[in-house]
Amino acid sequence: MEFSAEQLAEVLGGKVDGNAEQTVSRLSKIEEGGEGSLSFLANPAYEKYIYETTASVVIVSEDFAPTAEISATLVRVPDAYGAFAKLLEMYNQMKGNKSGREEPSYIHDSVSMPEEYYLGAFGYIGANSKIGNGTKIHPHCHIADNVQIGENCEIFAGVKIYGDCVIGNNVTIHAGTIIGADGFGFAPNSENSYDKVAQIGNVIIEDHVEIGANSTIDRATLGSTIIRKGVKLNNLIQIAHNVEIGENTVIAAQSGVAGSTKIGKNCMIGGQVGIVGHLTIGNGVKIAAQSGIPKNLPDNAVVQGSPAFEYVDYNKSYAVYRKLPQLAKDIHQLKKNLES
Amino acid sequence: MEFSAEQLAEVLGGKVDGNAEQTVSRLSKIEEGGEGSLSFLANPAYEKYIYETTASVVIVSEDFAPTAEISATLVRVPDAYGAFAKLLEMYNQMKGNKSGREEPSYIHDSVSMPEEYYLGAFGYIGANSKIGNGTKIHPHCHIADNVQIGENCEIFAGVKIYGDCVIGNNVTIHAGTIIGADGFGFAPNSENSYDKVAQIGNVIIEDHVEIGANSTIDRATLGSTIIRKGVKLNNLIQIAHNVEIGENTVIAAQSGVAGSTKIGKNCMIGGQVGIVGHLTIGNGVKIAAQSGIPKNLPDNAVVQGSPAFEYVDYNKSYAVYRKLPQLAKDIHQLKKNLES
Amino acid sequence: MEFSAEQLAEVLGGKVDGNAEQTVSRLSKIEEGGEGSLSFLANPAYEKYIYETTASVVIVSEDFAPTAEISATLVRVPDAYGAFAKLLEMYNQMKGNKSGREEPSYIHDSVSMPEEYYLGAFGYIGANSKIGNGTKIHPHCHIADNVQIGENCEIFAGVKIYGDCVIGNNVTIHAGTIIGADGFGFAPNSENSYDKVAQIGNVIIEDHVEIGANSTIDRATLGSTIIRKGVKLNNLIQIAHNVEIGENTVIAAQSGVAGSTKIGKNCMIGGQVGIVGHLTIGNGVKIAAQSGIPKNLPDNAVVQGSPAFEYVDYNKSYAVYRKLPQLAKDIHQLKKNLES
């Protein structure tokens, strides 16, 4: 998508000040800019950046009076911030305007597609699966058999959803994420090796959930792994079999939750956190990054450490930890003094 | 896959008690249930759940006598647990009954496919690769050139296997896992940047291995990265170049093993563990979650911590760690008392 | 790719000593060997291995005089090391000799492909994207709209690059990596849930960068997430929105960098490290594996721990940590002694 300054001025009801044929293909912050980028100046505190920006075009207020030379082409509009917001909306609509079926793609005979949808090339929809109206499925997705996906979802490229999983409405799943792989269940046998425990449950993802890229959410052994309404999961997160994550809980990248743990509502969990299996974590819990959670946590607990305990106490202990060599010396000296 | 209570009764040699046309499409635990799910009651300890379950159909013993109203349709059979096990087996067979080649798919001219196999749509099998009899390859897999895959394997959607890798029999690899990407080898050069070290080895995965979703197992620089018979790896695990993992060792999610480390047999390694390169880890070793392993471990070691040491000692130290602020105060007081 | 000892001798200008029809299909270390592998003996220190190697063919110097029986076929050449290096180069060229367009693949009408390129089957190139000359894109890659990829890049199977991202020249990206998924940005709203913050920036990857398998690099909220020239990232790494990583910095597997952090040049960052958002990390910084970085670091800092501090101090504290139970006893004893 490439636009000239002139086209922008027309769309925004503004006037070009500079090279009307200058083109832009992306948006930038004015302090970062970059050849071919479009930026805007609305907050006077940022005015200094317009004299050094490398953005190719900058949207400014029609009454903006420069105090030095500007290399960028200007597009003068009545309301710079409003114009940028309008462009942003157009931009997102254009990105999201894909529709229809690209070929080659595979839709099983048993599937009836809704009135409005996008299925990118190399997409696969298995037997008896249902896709809701307005849902967009980008290229290379595998929707296995008996999957239900609700309305107005966006499933990015290369997502794989195993059979029997259920996805609500307005769910976003980023590229490469795997929904419904087998839980990690093996029973030791008499030959010192393992027998697989059949994993015949599914994954249920409720409305308004967003999941990042290359995460993995395992199916339940029996029953369902459940991601409740409004949950936000970042990239490279592992959610094991039979876990339940409560409404509007947010988990940062690379964290993992082991099997059958139940996490409450409105929790905030940092990156690279590990939570042991079969626990109950309350509502409104906050867990610092890289913590390890070995036991149940009550509502509104705030914890840190591996193993984690109360955040304030952890940091007091850690402050002493940093001085341990001096403490050891003090004790040694005390012993000597006492002996003498 | 949808079945009516009547169909289930017929298959299981039982009788319907309730709405014979009630359909189910998935299995559930009786305490979880859910519209359209089939559950079972075998253990009397769970009888209380049958009066409140939201499962649509429940399999019970033919002599089960309810003591209150039940909303679910019942299917009465001579042996409820046995009937459920039989259904489970049928269910897994039905899920696993895919066969033949879906189109479009890509098989290089040099490849001869076995008598029985499944290759999902958008599957790719490169030059000179060999696929064993009974192996199922789900959609979107990339099997590069000169790869060997044994018999009765199941390779889930979107797995990528680089050239020259060797997979044994009865191996399961879950969606999105990458086998044989280049090891992370770079040599600093005189210009303060890095030259790539060619990674020309391969990955060998022996029989009965199961690997979770979105894991990565790098090829050897020279020689082979080897995953021995019966090893179970969970999701999002990183196995670096030239690592060897011994028979029946189990590794939980998000752990990583750095280059050239050799891990013994029958080890149990928790989640988010990191193991440094060029180590030798003995047989029967247990490593607690989130531990970091900086040096060799003897057979049957049990360790925790980052860096890790003996599990019991680690936990003793950690118990004191939690009381460090009090200890620091005690020392301060002792010093004052001694001075006075 | 299978070669007989005779073919190898011909290519290398050597002579076969043993079974001229013995074939090999891969390279191995002489101490590892393996049926069907080709190895070499150049360093006399390794001579002992040639008597027990299971390699099928070994390249040796023409004047090599065995002192015991050898089961492998030998290929005698004037310079064993040079011959192996030559083979290595040939091997890499053969692996890399893919070119042209495999079908089915999807190239948007607006795209003009360069003179030399490889696009594997099931590859997707979206509207207005540009692919540089000599670039290889393996099967199952999704290059969305408005993406620019430079010359002589190698993009392995299943990589997904979101719209508007910019990739330089000589960049290598391994299988399953996701470039340009949305940054993790959500604003709490009055209903105790979250509104998505539009993520309209992109990712810029400069020349000579190599990225491992199944990593994720998020697009900027506004502006660009930037991976500078010569950076090497390993597998399963998370780079959040608006991060910048300086030239020739190396990051090991499973590490994560949170949003808007800026990392300097020539840093070495271990595996499973976590770096908090909005920080500035200097040039030449070294971070030990599993560390957590909570604050800015000056040039050439060397740190360890979670939270991390100076490497030497951390290890001194950790040495005392291991003896904490004894220290606690000492303090207890001191108190008793003082009281009496």
Side-chain angles (χ1 to χ4, degrees):
Chain A
M1 289 175 292
E2 213 171 63
F3 302 94
S4 67
E6 191 158 26
Q7 287 173 314
L8 289 168
E10 201 170 321
V11 164
L12 300 171
K15 276 189 206 162
V16 177
D17 181 353
N19 176 9
E21 282 163 27
Q22 172 68 51
T23 57
V24 290
S25 60
R26 62 189 185 86
L27 304 171
S28 69
K29 295 185 189 176
I30 193 166
E31 64 269 37
E32 293 182 346
E35 178 69 23
S37 79
L38 169 67
S39 195
F40 80 115
L41 173 64
N43 184 340
Y46 284 77
E47 185 183 322
K48 61 181 172 185
Y49 292 115
I50 201 170
Y51 305 112
E52 50 193 51
T53 189
T54 56
S56 297
V57 177
V58 182
I59 297 170
V60 298
S61 288
E62 54 194 358
D63 57 359
F64 169 65
T67 60
E69 208 175 328
I70 295 173
S71 67
T73 293
L74 303 183
V75 173
R76 294 175 173 280
V77 295
D79 169 13
Y81 186 81
F84 196 75
K86 187 175 167 189
L87 273 182
L88 196 54
E89 204 182 314
M90 287 168 58
Y91 178 88
N92 273 325
Q93 273 172 14
M94 280 166 58
K95 276 197 353 188
N97 71 353
K98 293 189 180 285
S99 71
R101 176 179 178 176
E102 290 175 356
E103 294 287 2
S105 54
Y106 178 104
I107 300 179
H108 191 273
D109 291 344
S110 59
V111 175
S112 30
M113 295 300 284
E115 203 177 309
E116 287 287 326
Y117 73 96
Y118 168 56
L119 179 65
F122 317 116
Y124 184 110
I125 299 183
N128 304 312
S129 285
K130 289 172 190 156
I131 308 297
N133 203 41
T135 283
K136 296 184 200 326
I137 300 176
H138 290 258
H140 299 112
C141 287
H142 179 233
I143 314 299
D145 301 346
N146 306 304
V147 171
Q148 292 173 46
I149 300 182
E151 301 187 353
N152 300 314
C153 293
E154 186 151 24
I155 313 290
F156 283 95
V159 167
K160 313 300 180 199
I161 304 180
Y162 280 58
D164 304 319
C165 293
V166 178
I167 314 286
N169 301 319
N170 300 297
V171 169
T172 300
I173 304 178
H174 281 282
T177 280
I178 312 296
I179 308 290
D182 282 358
F184 196 59
F186 300 93
N189 62 25
S190 58
E191 287 143 37
N192 218 2
S193 67
Y194 293 88
D195 293 328
K196 184 174 175 75
V197 176
Q199 302 289 316
I200 60 164
N202 71 345
V203 175
I204 296 177
I205 295 176
E206 296 187 351
D207 299 350
H208 296 287
V209 167
E210 180 154 345
I211 302 173
N214 276 351
S215 286
T216 57
I217 302 181
D218 283 352
R219 70 195 308 104
T221 308
L222 195 60
S224 300
T225 303
I226 305 177
I227 311 296
R228 295 278 178 215
K229 192 177 161 187
V231 165
K232 312 296 177 193
L233 304 180
N234 199 346
N235 300 343
L236 294 167
I237 284 176
Q238 151 73 355
I239 306 294
H241 60 87
N242 294 88
V243 164
E244 179 178 339
I245 301 186
E247 282 186 23
N248 297 319
T249 281
V250 174
I251 305 184
Q254 296 179 315
S255 287
V257 183
S260 300
T261 282
K262 189 173 171 178
I263 298 179
K265 295 191 284 188
N266 305 314
C267 296
M268 297 187 72
I269 299 177
Q272 298 182 337
V273 164
I275 303 181
V276 161
H278 298 277
L279 300 186
T280 300
I281 307 296
N283 299 322
V285 167
K286 292 194 168 74
I287 303 177
Q290 291 193 328
S291 294
I293 308 300
K295 55 177 194 185
N296 295 342
L297 290 175
D299 287 356
N300 304 312
V302 181
V303 300
Q304 182 170 8
S306 172
F309 54 98
E310 214 271 321
Y311 175 80
V312 174
D313 293 335
Y314 180 84
N315 281 283
K316 281 182 188 160
S317 282
Y318 200 76
V320 180
Y321 175 83
R322 296 185 61 151
K323 296 179 211 147
L324 277 183
Q326 184 56 48
L327 238 62
K329 275 184 208 158
D330 286 355
I331 294 167
H332 187 71
Q333 189 61 45
L334 283 168
K335 281 162 81 175
K336 270 174 75 175
N337 291 357
L338 259 184
E339 276 160 23
S340 65
Chain B
M1 291 175 291
E2 214 172 60
F3 302 95
S4 67
E6 192 158 28
Q7 287 172 314
L8 290 168
E10 200 171 320
V11 165
L12 301 171
K15 276 189 205 162
V16 177
D17 182 351
N19 175 9
E21 283 164 26
Q22 172 68 51
T23 58
V24 290
S25 61
R26 61 190 185 87
L27 304 171
S28 69
K29 295 186 190 177
I30 193 165
E31 65 269 37
E32 293 182 346
E35 178 69 24
S37 80
L38 168 68
S39 195
F40 80 115
L41 173 64
N43 183 341
Y46 284 78
E47 185 183 322
K48 62 182 173 186
Y49 293 115
I50 201 169
Y51 306 112
E52 50 193 52
T53 189
T54 55
S56 296
V57 178
V58 182
I59 297 170
V60 298
S61 288
E62 55 193 358
D63 57 0
F64 169 65
T67 61
E69 208 175 329
I70 294 173
S71 66
T73 294
L74 303 183
V75 174
R76 294 175 172 282
V77 296
D79 169 12
Y81 186 81
F84 195 76
K86 188 176 166 188
L87 272 181
L88 197 54
E89 205 183 314
M90 287 168 57
Y91 177 88
N92 273 325
Q93 273 171 15
M94 281 165 56
K95 274 196 355 188
N97 71 353
K98 293 191 180 284
S99 71
R101 175 180 178 175
E102 291 175 357
E103 294 287 1
S105 53
Y106 178 104
I107 299 179
H108 191 273
D109 291 344
S110 59
V111 176
S112 29
M113 294 300 283
E115 204 176 307
E116 287 286 327
Y117 72 96
Y118 167 57
L119 179 65
F122 316 117
Y124 184 110
I125 299 184
N128 304 310
S129 285
K130 289 172 191 157
I131 309 296
N133 203 42
T135 283
K136 296 184 200 327
I137 300 175
H138 291 258
H140 299 113
C141 287
H142 179 234
I143 314 299
D145 301 346
N146 306 304
V147 171
Q148 293 173 45
I149 300 181
E151 300 187 354
N152 301 314
C153 293
E154 186 151 24
I155 313 290
F156 283 95
V159 167
K160 312 301 180 200
I161 304 180
Y162 281 58
D164 304 317
C165 292
V166 178
I167 315 286
N169 300 319
N170 300 297
V171 169
T172 300
I173 304 178
H174 281 282
T177 280
I178 312 296
I179 308 290
D182 282 357
F184 196 60
F186 299 93
N189 61 26
S190 58
E191 288 143 35
N192 219 1
S193 66
Y194 292 89
D195 293 327
K196 184 174 175 74
V197 176
Q199 302 289 316
I200 60 164
N202 72 344
V203 175
I204 296 176
I205 295 176
E206 295 187 351
D207 299 350
H208 297 287
V209 167
E210 181 155 345
I211 302 173
N214 276 352
S215 285
T216 57
I217 302 182
D218 283 352
R219 71 197 307 104
T221 307
L222 194 59
S224 299
T225 303
I226 304 177
I227 312 296
R228 294 280 178 213
K229 193 178 161 184
V231 165
K232 312 296 177 194
L233 304 181
N234 199 346
N235 300 343
L236 293 167
I237 284 176
Q238 151 73 354
I239 305 295
H241 60 89
N242 294 87
V243 165
E244 179 178 338
I245 301 186
E247 281 186 24
N248 298 319
T249 281
V250 175
I251 305 184
Q254 297 180 314
S255 287
V257 183
S260 300
T261 281
K262 189 174 172 177
I263 298 179
K265 295 192 284 188
N266 305 313
C267 297
M268 298 186 71
I269 300 177
Q272 298 182 338
V273 164
I275 303 181
V276 161
H278 298 278
L279 300 186
T280 300
I281 308 296
N283 299 322
V285 167
K286 292 193 169 74
I287 303 177
Q290 292 194 328
S291 294
I293 308 301
K295 55 177 191 184
N296 295 343
L297 291 175
D299 288 355
N300 305 311
V302 182
V303 300
Q304 183 171 7
S306 172
F309 53 97
E310 213 272 322
Y311 175 80
V312 174
D313 294 335
Y314 180 85
N315 282 283
K316 282 182 188 161
S317 282
Y318 199 77
V320 181
Y321 174 82
R322 296 185 62 152
K323 296 179 211 150
L324 278 183
Q326 184 56 48
L327 238 63
K329 275 184 207 158
D330 287 355
I331 294 168
H332 187 69
Q333 189 62 43
L334 282 168
K335 280 162 79 174
K336 269 173 78 176
N337 292 356
L338 259 184
E339 278 160 18
S340 66
Chain C
M1 288 177 292
E2 214 172 62
F3 302 93
S4 67
E6 192 159 27
Q7 288 172 314
L8 290 168
E10 201 170 319
V11 165
L12 301 171
K15 276 189 205 163
V16 177
D17 181 351
N19 176 9
E21 282 163 28
Q22 173 68 51
T23 57
V24 290
S25 61
R26 61 190 184 86
L27 304 172
S28 69
K29 295 184 189 177
I30 193 165
E31 64 269 37
E32 293 182 347
E35 179 69 24
S37 79
L38 168 68
S39 195
F40 80 114
L41 174 64
N43 183 341
Y46 284 78
E47 185 183 323
K48 61 181 174 185
Y49 292 115
I50 202 169
Y51 305 111
E52 50 193 49
T53 189
T54 56
S56 296
V57 177
V58 182
I59 297 170
V60 298
S61 287
E62 56 193 356
D63 56 359
F64 169 65
T67 60
E69 207 175 328
I70 294 173
S71 67
T73 293
L74 303 182
V75 173
R76 294 174 173 280
V77 296
D79 168 13
Y81 187 81
F84 196 76
K86 187 176 167 188
L87 273 181
L88 197 54
E89 204 183 314
M90 286 168 58
Y91 178 89
N92 273 326
Q93 273 171 14
M94 280 166 57
K95 276 197 354 186
N97 71 354
K98 293 190 181 286
S99 70
R101 176 179 178 175
E102 291 176 355
E103 293 288 0
S105 53
Y106 177 104
I107 300 178
H108 191 273
D109 291 344
S110 58
V111 176
S112 29
M113 295 299 284
E115 202 176 309
E116 287 286 326
Y117 72 96
Y118 168 57
L119 179 65
F122 316 117
Y124 183 111
I125 299 184
N128 303 312
S129 285
K130 289 174 189 156
I131 308 297
N133 203 42
T135 283
K136 296 185 201 322
I137 300 176
H138 290 258
H140 299 112
C141 288
H142 179 233
I143 313 300
D145 302 345
N146 305 304
V147 171
Q148 293 174 45
I149 300 182
E151 300 187 353
N152 301 313
C153 292
E154 186 152 23
I155 313 290
F156 283 95
V159 167
K160 312 301 180 200
I161 304 180
Y162 281 58
D164 304 318
C165 292
V166 178
I167 315 287
N169 300 319
N170 301 296
V171 169
T172 300
I173 304 177
H174 281 282
T177 281
I178 312 297
I179 308 290
D182 282 358
F184 196 58
F186 300 94
N189 61 27
S190 59
E191 288 142 36
N192 219 2
S193 67
Y194 293 89
D195 293 328
K196 184 174 174 75
V197 176
Q199 303 289 316
I200 60 164
N202 72 344
V203 175
I204 296 176
I205 295 177
E206 296 187 351
D207 299 350
H208 296 287
V209 167
E210 181 155 344
I211 302 173
N214 276 352
S215 286
T216 56
I217 302 181
D218 283 353
R219 70 197 307 104
T221 307
L222 193 60
S224 300
T225 304
I226 304 176
I227 312 296
R228 296 277 178 214
K229 192 178 162 186
V231 164
K232 312 296 177 191
L233 304 180
N234 199 345
N235 301 344
L236 293 167
I237 285 176
Q238 152 73 356
I239 305 295
H241 60 88
N242 293 88
V243 164
E244 178 177 339
I245 300 186
E247 282 185 25
N248 298 318
T249 280
V250 175
I251 305 184
Q254 297 179 314
S255 287
V257 183
S260 299
T261 282
K262 188 172 172 180
I263 297 179
K265 296 192 283 188
N266 305 313
C267 296
M268 299 186 71
I269 299 177
Q272 299 182 337
V273 164
I275 303 181
V276 162
H278 297 277
L279 300 186
T280 301
I281 306 296
N283 298 322
V285 167
K286 292 193 168 74
I287 303 177
Q290 293 194 327
S291 294
I293 308 301
K295 55 178 195 182
N296 295 341
L297 290 175
D299 287 356
N300 304 311
V302 182
V303 300
Q304 182 171 7
S306 171
F309 53 97
E310 213 272 320
Y311 175 80
V312 174
D313 293 336
Y314 179 84
N315 282 283
K316 281 181 189 161
S317 281
Y318 199 76
V320 180
Y321 175 83
R322 296 185 61 152
K323 297 179 211 149
L324 277 184
Q326 185 55 49
L327 240 61
K329 275 184 207 158
D330 288 354
I331 294 168
H332 187 70
Q333 190 60 46
L334 282 168
K335 280 161 81 174
K336 270 173 77 175
N337 291 357
L338 259 184
E339 277 160 22
S340 64

